[in-house]
Structure formats: structure tokens, C-alpha cells
């Protein structure tokens, strides 16, 4: 029997280790290898110390002159600065860890009436600044914080400002499906641009056309290679595998995913949506009987779509069902799945974990993308993270 394989170059995660401070019931939590404890600045914000390169600590994909470039750049006082908002500071730490840099010192607080105050506590004059801040729940709070961070950098005479948005929450409102609806994705794009951002780096936008709403360059990074790398390490026979799209809109994503998994067959769940976050499964297109079904989506919100789809797959005779998604917004349902595989673009609170959950880190992916953007690398980011579905 053939073993599960996929083609293409991807950022490996074999150097990543579980975090001890998460509950022991988590099946696995893949993270960067941090050799020093987390320090805190005067503001109480965590930041990572510079790491010392060690032979053999990273696979060859990430070690070909990577550490030499990173640490020589820091030694020569690179003009690259990374700042973290409050939405996902642990991911920001991991990105800085991979790049061999310290997180910039920044003061963020809220007044009694909820207003946000931001002050950079180090100079960014003439620097290329990268602000890591997803618009995860609470979306409006985190979005406003990002805008104020951008404004602070612009007024501090930063050379360029890149908004690194692992999860861009307003990408779903990308078109009018009914009368008198807003297109919030365009509005948010305008806000980020007018605040002073020169570039946006986003991970797995809900719809690719949202890139067109920005009047500034957008680098769209796909998180699926990290999941593909993890799936390839599992002992799943390629003859038993079928990739499932939970709806018709995700067929292109699932097809690209299946192509990387030994060109696995594809199945589609036909559903009818009666309102926002309300879905009803109708039919299954394709054969899953006796197969290991891998459901692929960009996000899990209320988990209604993917849970109903998993129930239908079991009814149709699927042996096992895996759920794979980049963004996990709200509580997930675990009973129907052999394993739920997500990434850490959105931080999860402790009560949302369950034994079947596996969280993979996209820190190396985003860190390498930042380096390539900063260095104006001619190969761009497509050579290692694009699944070809833009």
C-alpha cells in the first residue's frame, strides 16, 4: 500500500515543541523551539531575547544561511522592527524568535472609557516596521488597536509600515448578496490604508478578492502547507484518503489541498445556507465509504458547517474524519472527528481545548515571509507557501 505523500516545498515544523504551560490534555501544540524563558519589559509586555544559532536546531530548509543572515543583520543594527499588539502576543514572540530579533517595546493601555492608548518606547525613525495584530475576537477592539499602532508608527517617522494580520476578520463581508448590505472588507481596507500602512501581510483570507480592496500591496500567505506537513507525518495510506470541501465555495481550496496529498480524490458537501452562521447540509457529491475523510476549510466559526458535514460523512460510511482549518474562531465540536487540526493565527482560551485538538504554529511561515519582503527577495513568497489558489 502506498504511503501518504504530497509534493511541493513547505516550511517544516519538526523543530517545534509543545508548550508546557498549556493544559496537559492537549494532544499536541507545535511551537518554535525557545531556549530561554520569556522576559518582560517595563510595560509588562512579553518579549523574546535573541537566540544563539545552534548547529542542527532547524531543518535544512530554514538553515541555509538563514541564521547567518538573521544574526548578522541584528549585529549590524538592522532597520527592521517587529511590534506586537495585544491580540496574539505568543505568535508575535514566535515570529521574533524565528527571525532572531527582539520584539519592539511598545506601551498599549486602555482608559476607563475603553479608549486605546499606544506609545512606541523605542525609535523607529527610518525603520521598516512590522505590526503583528490579527483582528480576532473582539474584532473591533483589535482592529482599532491596529489602526492606532499604525498611526503611532507613522507619526514616529517609520520608513515603511507593514500590517501583519494573521487573521483578517472582515474578509467575509466582501460582496453584496442582498440589498442594502455593506461591504465591510472594503471599508476596513480603506481604514488600514488611510491610517498609514504601506503593505499588508495576511494569512488565508476568506476570499481572495479581498486583496483587490486594498490600494497598497498585499502578500497573501497560505497556512495549508503547515497542515500538509503535519498530515504527511501521519501513517495514512494514500489509497484510503479523500479530501472533502464542506461547501461549494471551498472547492478550489480543497482541490489544491488534494493535489498536494498524492492527488487524492475530492468530495463536496452540498449545503444550503438560510442565514449568517446557519447552514443545512443537503447532499454529498463523491464517494467516502471506508475512506479517511479530510475536511478542509479556511475557518471554523460556530462549527455548524463542518460538524454537520462530518455527521453526513459518517452516515455515508467514512472510516475516520479529520478537520483541517487555518483559523479557529469559536468553540469547536470534537465528538465527530478523529482529529481537529488548526493553526495559531487566533489565540484560543483554555476552555476551548479538547483531546482531539492539534494546534500548529505559522510563526516560521510568517517570519520567513517577513524576511523575504524586507530583503526584496526576487523569488517572493510563492516558492515556499503558495498553493496556487489566489
Amino acid at each position: 500500500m502506498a504511503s501518504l505523500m504530497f509534493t511541493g516545498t513547505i516550511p517544516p515544523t519538526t523543530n517545534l515543541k509543545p508548550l508546557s504551560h498549556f493544559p496537559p490534555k492537549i494532544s499536541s501544540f507545535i511551537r518554535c523551539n525557545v531556549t530561554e524563558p520569556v522576559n518582560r519589559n517595563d510595560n509588562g509586555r512579553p518579549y523574546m531575547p535573541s537566540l544563539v544559532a545552534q548547529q542542527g536546531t532547524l531543518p535544512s530548509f530554514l538553515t541555509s544561511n538563514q541564521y547567518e543572515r538573521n544574526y548578522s543583520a541584528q549585529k549590524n543594527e538592522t532597520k527592521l522592527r517587529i511590534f506586537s499588539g495585544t491580540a496574539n502576543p505568543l505568535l508575535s514572540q514566535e515570529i521574533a524568535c524565528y527571525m532572531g530579533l527582539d520584539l519592539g517595546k511598545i506601551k498599549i493601555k486602555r482608559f476607563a472609557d475603553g479608549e486605546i492608548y499606544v506609545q512606541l518606547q523605542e525609535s523607529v525613525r527610518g525603520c521598516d516596521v512590522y505590526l503583528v495584530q490579527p483582528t480576532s475576537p473582539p474584532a473591533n477592539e483589535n482592529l482599532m488597536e491596529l489602526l492606532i499602532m499604525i498611526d503611532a508608527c507613522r507619526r514616529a517617522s517609520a520608513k515603511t509600515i507593514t500590517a501583519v494580520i494573521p487573521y483578517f476578520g472582515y474578509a467575509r463581508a466582501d460582496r453584496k448578496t442582498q440589498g442594502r448590505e455593506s461591504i465591510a472588507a472594503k471599508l476596513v481596507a480603506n481604514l488600514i490604508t488611510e491610517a498609514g500602512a504601506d503593505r499588508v501581510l495576511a494569512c488565508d483570507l476568506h476570499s481572495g478578492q479581498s486583496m483587490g480592496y486594498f490600494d497598497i500591496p498585499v502578500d497573501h500567505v497560505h497556512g495549508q502547507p503547515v497542515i500538509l506537513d503535519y498530515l504527511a507525518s501521519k501513517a495514512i495510506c494514500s489509497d484510503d484518503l479523500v479530501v472533502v470541501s464542506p461547501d461549494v465555495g471551498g472547492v478550489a481550496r480543497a482541490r489544491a489541498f488534494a493535489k498536494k496529498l498524492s492527488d487524492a480524490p475530492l468530495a463536496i458537501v452540498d449545503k444550503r445556507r438560510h442565514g449568517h452562521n446557519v447552514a443545512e447540509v443537503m447532499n454529498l457529491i463523491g464517494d467516502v465509504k471506508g475512506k479517511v475523510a479530510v475536511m478542509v476549510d479556511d475557518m471554523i466559526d460556530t462549527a455548524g458547517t463542518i460538524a454537520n458535514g462530518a455527521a453526513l460523512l459518517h452516515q455515508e460510511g467514512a472510516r475516520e474524519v479529520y478537520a483541517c482549518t487555518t483559523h479557529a474562531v469559536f468553540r469547536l465540536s470534537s465528538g465527530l472527528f478523529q482529529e481537529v487540526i488548526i493553526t495559531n493565527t487566533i489565540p484560543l482560551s483554555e476552555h476551548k481545548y479538547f483531546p482531539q485538538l492539534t494546534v500548529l504554529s505559522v510563526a516560521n511561515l510568517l517570519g520567513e515571509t517577513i524576511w523575504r519582503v524586507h530583503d526584496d527577495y526576487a523569488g517572493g513568497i510563492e516558492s515556499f507557501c503558495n498553493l496556487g489558489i489566489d
Side-chain angles (χ1 to χ4, degrees), residues 135-184:
T135 59
S136 50
N140 298 330
E141 284 276 321
N142 290 327
L143 173 60
M144 193 64 193
E145 184 178 306
L146 173 62
L147 297 177
I148 299 176
M149 291 171 66
I150 294 172
D151 182 71
C153 293
R154 179 174 62 87
R155 297 180 186 279
S157 301
K159 181 181 178 181
T160 63
I161 304 170
T162 300
V164 181
I165 311 175
Y167 170 67
F168 183 68
Y170 279 92
R172 285 178 288 185
D174 60 342
R175 64 192 184 278
K176 289 183 66 173
T177 58
Q178 304 178 51
R180 301 175 296 281
E181 280 187 330
S182 68
I183 303 180

Side-chain angles (χ1 to χ4, degrees), residues 208-224:
Q209 62 262 32
S210 297
M211 290 187 291
Y213 294 146
F214 288 89
D215 296 325
I216 54 178
V218 177
D219 292 305
H220 187 198
V221 180
H222 300 286
Q224 283 90 347

Side-chain angles (χ1 to χ4, degrees), residues 11-163:
T13 58
T14 54
N15 65 302
L16 307 178
K17 296 182 179 180
L19 266 187
S20 60
H21 69 267
F22 280 99
K25 61 183 178 180
I26 306 175
S27 58
S28 62
F29 195 104
I30 314 298
R31 301 184 64 87
C32 287
N33 183 17
V34 181
T35 60
E36 297 291 339
V38 174
N39 295 332
R40 294 185 178 273
N41 57 28
D42 296 335
N43 189 36
R45 305 292 307 162
Y47 70 95
M48 297 302 302
S50 301
L51 303 182
V52 179
Q54 298 179 2
Q55 184 68 25
T57 56
L58 287 177
S60 58
F61 170 79
L62 296 175
T63 55
S64 54
N65 299 323
Q66 180 65 42
Y67 268 114
E68 294 180 9
R69 178 180 64 177
N70 292 358
Y71 288 95
S72 63
Q74 186 176 5
K75 183 178 179 181
N76 295 328
E77 296 184 355
T78 177
K79 288 291 187 178
L80 188 154
R81 299 286 187 273
I82 301 176
F83 292 90
S84 174
T86 61
N88 198 342
L90 292 179
L91 176 58
S92 303
Q93 291 177 49
E94 293 181 11
I95 294 173
C97 166
Y98 169 77
M99 300 181 69
L101 299 172
D102 294 336
L103 282 177
K105 297 181 180 180
I106 185 172
K107 181 178 182 180
I108 302 175
K109 70 176 184 179
R110 282 164 172 76
F111 293 108
D113 62 354
E115 294 180 24
I116 300 171
Y117 173 84
V118 173
Q119 180 191 30
L120 303 179
Q121 296 189 308
E122 61 183 66
S123 175
V124 296
R125 185 177 298 276
C127 295
D128 296 319
V129 177
Y130 293 80
L131 305 175
V132 183
Q133 174 78 345
T135 59
S136 50
N140 298 330
E141 284 276 321
N142 290 327
L143 173 60
M144 193 64 193
E145 184 178 306
L146 173 62
L147 297 177
I148 299 176
M149 291 171 66
I150 294 172
D151 182 71
C153 293
R154 179 174 62 87
R155 297 180 186 279
S157 301
K159 181 181 178 181
T160 63
I161 304 170
T162 300

Side-chain angles (χ1 to χ4, degrees), residues 301-319:
D301 194 337
T302 60
T305 296
I306 204 163
N308 291 339
L312 178 63
L313 293 175
H314 282 294
Q315 291 175 13
E316 295 294 328
R319 189 169 80 243

Side-chain angles (χ1 to χ4, degrees), residues 167-168 171-172 174-175 203-210 220-225 227-228 231 242-261 263-268 271 273 294-300 305-306 323-327 341 385-390:
Y167 170 67
F168 183 68
R172 285 178 288 185
D174 60 342
R175 64 192 184 278
C203 186
D204 270 329
L205 291 170
H206 184 67
S207 56
Q209 62 262 32
S210 297
H220 187 198
V221 180
H222 300 286
Q224 283 90 347
I227 299 174
L228 285 166
L231 283 176
V242 58
V243 176
V244 181
S245 173
D247 52 34
V248 175
V251 171
R253 182 185 302 105
R255 185 183 293 117
F257 198 91
K259 185 177 180 180
K260 297 292 183 179
L261 288 176
D263 204 12
L266 184 68
I268 304 170
K271 71 174 185 181
R273 187 177 293 278
V294 179
M295 299 188 71
V296 181
D297 207 350
D298 65 315
M299 73 169 66
I300 297 177
T305 296
I306 204 163
C324 300
T325 186
T326 304
H327 311 298
I341 305 166
C385 66
N386 196 340
L387 286 176
I389 59 175
D390 272 345

Side-chain angles (χ1 to χ4, degrees), residues 306-375:
I306 204 163
N308 291 339
L312 178 63
L313 293 175
H314 282 294
Q315 291 175 13
E316 295 294 328
R319 189 169 80 243
E320 295 178 349
V321 178
Y322 288 79
C324 300
T325 186
T326 304
H327 311 298
V329 182
F330 293 121
R331 187 175 181 86
L332 308 175
S333 174
S334 62
L336 297 169
F337 302 102
Q338 179 75 15
E339 190 172 2
V340 176
I341 305 166
I342 65 174
T343 71
N344 63 341
T345 57
I346 297 175
L348 292 182
S349 55
E350 182 177 333
H351 72 277
K352 292 184 179 180
Y353 287 95
F354 50 88
Q356 292 81 20
L357 180 65
T358 298
V359 183
L360 307 177
S361 177
V362 295
N364 290 9
L365 190 71
L366 295 176
E368 182 65 22
T369 304
I370 292 174
W371 270 125
R372 296 189 179 210
V373 170
H374 179 67
D375 291 345

